[in-house]
Amino acid sequence: MSEPAVPILMYHSIATAPNDATRALSVAPEAFAEQMALLGDLKITPVSTAQLAESWRSGGPLPERPVLITFDDGYEGVHRHALPVLAEHGFASTLFVSTGWLRGAYDTGGGLDSMLDWDQVRELADAQAEIGGHSHTHPQLDEIDDDALWWELLRCKEIIADELGTRPVSFAYPYGYSSRRVREAVREAGFGQSLAVGNALARRRQGPYALRRVTVRRSTGVEEFTRLVEGRAIALDFARDRALTKGYAMVRRARQVRRKAIRSRV
């Protein structure tokens, strides 16, 4: 019997008029509503990241056709446009917030567009959205030193716990990149599971700290979305993305080698 695979959908901004920085990874509100209606029509059941990970750890049951709906960064449109649609369908979701990008006392000014405030995050949490961590300032975690990495993880976790009264148990890597060092730090910081990108279906054998997701973007039409949630032709749909990612990974590895060489000479 083949191992069950679960589509984890990665959204960012849900916006009618996104800015240039977020346009490619934004989704129009009308398209998002159509996509959620399609999940209902196909009898696909959204679960949270924590629910999926716990089921795979314990062997507990999942719905017959599970899917994860995830949002990265913390854009205001998730509250304005996505929340009413999710509530209408009774769908669970997971919002991964970069705490230094949200409006409020911890805002570092790094947000790429209009961002959520903490009252809106609490409303999302009250409406079946699991709130997970996405670092504090959204750096490429595998390119910062140990002290900075540890601070990004713990600061994010601390702020979410203070604002919501519960500690986040799930994490998503900014930009989707990680390394063994980063994954170990995420685990040691107390997160039980973490999501990458990879543009592939999530499988238990990937391990709880490298679960893959598929990107939903402004150009994702109904036919492609249907293939994503049904797990069909994903490799073909994301062939170009994978080629670009492979090339950039080589560049990143070369940078890491240079940084290690520089540190060893200091």
Side-chain angles (χ1 to χ4, degrees):
M1 180 181 296
S2 61
E3 181 187 26
V6 176
I8 303 180
L9 306 175
M10 182 181 67
Y11 290 94
H12 286 79
S13 171
I14 309 297
T16 300
N19 62 15
D20 290 343
T22 61
R23 181 174 302 279
L25 288 178
S26 71
V27 171
E30 298 79 11
F32 181 77
E34 185 177 24
Q35 290 163 4
M36 296 303 101
L38 182 61
L39 294 182
D41 292 343
L42 294 173
K43 302 295 189 283
I44 295 173
T45 304
V47 299
S48 71
T49 302
Q51 286 174 305
L52 176 67
E54 176 57 29
S55 172
W56 277 351
R57 282 193 179 94
S58 66
L62 283 171
E64 184 176 349
R65 303 186 71 189
V67 69
L68 272 65
I69 302 166
T70 70
F71 302 92
D72 281 10
D73 302 343
Y75 296 100
E76 193 270 341
V78 176
H79 181 274
R80 179 190 300 268
H81 300 298
L83 176 57
V85 177
L86 295 169
E88 177 186 352
H89 292 281
F91 285 170
S93 63
T94 306
L95 169 66
F96 294 104
V97 294
S98 293
T99 47
W101 281 16
L102 302 189
R103 288 182 289 135
Y106 319 104
D107 190 351
T108 62
L112 299 180
D113 206 338
S114 179
M115 308 304 291
L116 295 163
D117 63 31
W118 284 101
D119 285 340
Q120 292 171 321
V121 174
R122 279 185 280 273
E123 289 181 26
L124 283 154
D126 289 340
Q128 295 194 68
E130 176 190 356
I131 308 302
H134 197 45
S135 80
H136 185 57
T137 66
H138 204 282
Q140 296 184 19
L141 295 178
D142 59 336
E143 296 194 351
I144 59 179
D145 65 28
D146 290 347
D147 288 344
L149 170 61
W150 196 242
W151 183 84
E152 285 285 345
L153 299 176
L154 293 186
R155 184 60 174 150
C156 174
K157 183 180 178 182
E158 174 188 62
I159 291 172
I160 294 172
D162 287 348
E163 288 291 336
L164 303 184
T166 56
R167 295 179 180 178
V169 297
S170 303
F171 190 84
Y173 305 111
Y175 305 102
Y177 296 114
S178 69
S179 63
R180 179 178 294 180
R181 177 179 68 99
V182 171
R183 293 189 290 273
E184 289 177 352
V186 168
R187 177 178 58 80
E188 291 172 5
F191 292 99
Q193 49 277 331
S194 191
L195 305 184
V197 183
N199 285 315
L201 298 177
R203 300 178 187 274
R204 186 177 180 180
R205 67 171 178 263
Q206 292 162 4
Y209 295 96
L211 295 174
R212 297 184 179 182
R213 294 187 283 176
V214 292
T215 307
V216 185
R217 62 193 97 194
R218 208 163 190 85
S219 61
T220 303
V222 173
E223 291 184 2
E224 181 181 351
F225 185 81
T226 303
R227 291 196 298 270
L228 296 184
V229 298
E230 292 186 337
R232 297 185 289 108
I234 289 178
L236 180 61
D237 285 332
F238 291 105
R240 181 175 182 274
D241 298 73
R242 290 186 176 188
L244 292 173
T245 298
K246 184 175 181 181
Y248 190 40
M250 295 175 65
V251 173
R252 293 167 65 81
R253 283 195 293 271
R255 289 176 182 170
Q256 291 167 1
V257 169
R258 285 197 298 271
R259 282 196 298 272
K260 289 180 179 178
I262 291 170
R263 286 198 298 268
S264 68
R265 294 198 296 267
V266 174

